[in-house]
C-alpha cells in the first residue's frame, strides 16, 4: 500500500491514475479496496501495488514511472489555479 497526501488523490477518475496510464504503469486505487462509506478519506488517497505477475527486472522501472507520475501530479496540485 502507498498513501499520498490529500492533495494527490488516487481515484480512478483522478489525474494521478490518468498520468500513470500515460507513463505505462497501473495501480489499484484505494477506492476499489474499501467498503463503500468506510474509510472514505483513505480510499481517496491510497493505492495498492501488485507486483506478483511482473518479472522482477521490470519492478524498478515500474516504480520509477509511478514516481514520475506522482511528482507531476504533486507539482500540478501545488500550483494555484490562475
Amino acid at each position: 500500500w502507498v498513501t499520498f497526501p490529500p492533495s494527490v488523490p488516487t481515484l480512478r477518475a483522478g489525474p494521478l491514475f490518468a498520468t500513470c496510464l500515460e507513463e505505462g504503469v497501473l495501480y489499484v486505487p484505494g477506492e476499489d479496496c474499501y467498503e463503500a462509506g468506510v474509510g472514505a478519506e483513505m480510499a481517496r488517497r491510497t493505492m495498492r501495488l501488485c507486483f506478483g505477475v511482473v518479472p522482477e527486472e521490470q519492478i524498478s522501472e515500474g516504480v520509477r514511472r509511478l514516481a514520475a507520475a506522482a511528482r507531476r501530479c504533486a507539482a500540478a496540485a501545488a500550483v494555484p489555479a490562475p
Side-chain angles (χ1 to χ4, degrees):
W1 285 89
V2 178
T3 303
F4 284 87
S7 61
V8 183
T10 61
L11 303 171
R12 189 175 302 277
L16 180 58
F17 195 84
T19 304
C20 281
L21 289 178
E22 291 171 8
E23 291 284 343
V25 68
L26 189 60
Y27 64 86
V28 178
E31 66 184 323
D32 292 351
C33 301
Y34 285 83
E35 182 181 343
V38 176
E41 178 55 32
M42 290 304 288
R44 279 185 50 27
R45 58 191 194 99
T46 58
M47 67 171 62
R48 185 170 181 196
L49 302 179
C50 178
F51 49 86
V53 296
V54 178
E56 187 174 339
E57 58 274 5
Q58 292 179 357
I59 292 174
S60 60
E61 176 61 18
V63 170
R64 186 197 67 74
R65 292 178 185 197
L66 178 62
R71 280 192 295 274
R72 284 172 51 194
C73 289
V79 175

